[in-house]
Amino acid sequence: MSAPTAPGRRTRAPSVAPETLLDGTNRTSDVAVMKWLIRARHADLAHPGVRRWVVPLFCAGLGIPAVQDAAKGIGAAVPIVLALIVAFCVPLLWRQQRPVLVFALTSAVSAVALALDADTGAESARIVALLNVGRSVRPAQLAVCLGIAVAQTTVAVVVRGAGQPNEQFLQTPVLAIVQSALVMAVAAAGLVGRVVNAYIRALHERAVRLEVERDQRARLAAAAERARVAREMHDILGHTLAVIVGLAGGAAGLTETKPKRGAETLRIIADSGRGALAELRRLLAVIGEERDTEDGSPLAPQPGLADLDPLLERVRGAGPTVTLHTRGALTDLAPGLQLAVYRVVQESLTNTLKHAASDTTVRVTLTTEDTSVHAKVEDAGPPSTPHSPAPRDEGRGLVGMRERAALYGGSVTAGPNTKGGWTVDAHFQTTTPPPPHTTPTEKRPA
């Protein structure tokens, strides 16, 4: 059932399950037919020479009785019958490459056989040629070839019926109509074969396209997950390392002058490191789809606004003076929105530790209204390098804050303020829920 192609251009069709081609429906009869068509097509593509040679040999085999009759002296002589059989069958070897030419040759041989009154038995080659014409040429060419075939069939019936008795000759019109209808049915079968082949190719292309789209969606989902994990790791590691660096700088001097204060600072460093490791284990456990951590500790929810006090305490331990001002029921917000606000505040404080002086003053303001949440983090500076106020993190940190705010229909602005420091201003919408795949469901060790 394969469409004709140029020599050397045959390739195996992609292997796609019939259930995939038919959208996984329960049409068992359609699936069975499709399986049979696919098997036939694959067999034909795998062994193109079989059909090329079998059909001409089969048509030649149909001429064996005519040769036997010629050997008995019935009809034309044996050499004439053999020559006509060869003339009918040999052109069929090129029926796919030159369908119209092969049909013309077989029609010409049929006219010669009719003129010689020779019955070869191999005139089925003309039907095969017409069938191939229906499967490969344009409709206009098919109409011309069909007209020639019907006219030739009618003439052959009339000529052969002319020598019959009157009773049989009267049946000639009916016989001509029947044979002409059969010829038209052959052409229609070729046309249907072309439509079936086109339909199968379209189904294969559609199935392959769906597979490509599915793979693309999987890759996009993986990329989004990698970006989410990278953002989480940046928030965790960036903040913790900034706190540890600030605390370590102060602890170096306190160990000699104020050993007790230095020891307390070192404990804060250790607690911060353990917290970061715990959050990283939680993140890796989620990636590995594990329910518990390696040490068997249970998993707790992601941090929320109720966890701001420990966060601010760690930052205070590094030197800055941090104050928190809230208005509204912050803990009543959705967990995902609380995590987004928490991460924005965390990243803002991390940037303060990186770029501002260790004795700076930071004011954190959180305000909730009916449909929005406003988070503002501003420090009084001065910058850690007094000669040039370096811009704050414009890389993954600020991009991550903007992405988190965008998930809730909000925005983030950051820039220098009139106090010589830096201000981060974030707005979130409480009435715009995030997409389902962005709602944080990860757990962390308690």
Side-chain angles (χ1 to χ4, degrees), residues 56 187 241 325 386:
L241 291 177
H325 304 271

Side-chain angles (χ1 to χ4, degrees), residues 294-359:
E294 294 180 359
D295 58 1
S297 59
L299 297 177
Q302 283 271 37
L305 297 182
D307 301 305
L308 280 177
D309 287 337
L311 172 67
L312 300 184
E313 284 299 325
R314 289 196 299 269
V315 176
R316 293 187 186 107
T321 301
V322 186
T323 59
L324 175 63
H325 304 271
T326 62
R327 189 181 69 185
L330 296 175
T331 56
D332 293 340
L333 299 175
L337 180 56
Q338 290 193 42
L339 174 63
V341 176
Y342 178 92
R343 291 302 191 197
V344 168
V345 173
Q346 182 186 50
E347 179 63 25
S348 301
L349 294 174
T350 300
N351 287 336
T352 296
L353 293 174
K354 289 180 181 179
H355 302 289
S358 59
D359 58 349

Side-chain angles (χ1 to χ4, degrees), residues 152-194:
Q152 195 170 23
T153 300
T154 303
V155 171
V157 171
V158 172
V159 170
R160 288 192 171 94
Q164 303 296 329
N166 291 335
E167 297 81 10
Q168 297 182 3
F169 183 74
L170 293 176
Q171 300 176 358
T172 299
V174 177
L175 185 60
I177 292 174
V178 172
Q179 291 195 7
S180 298
L182 291 175
V183 169
M184 288 187 286
V186 168
L191 192 59
V192 169
R194 182 199 301 186

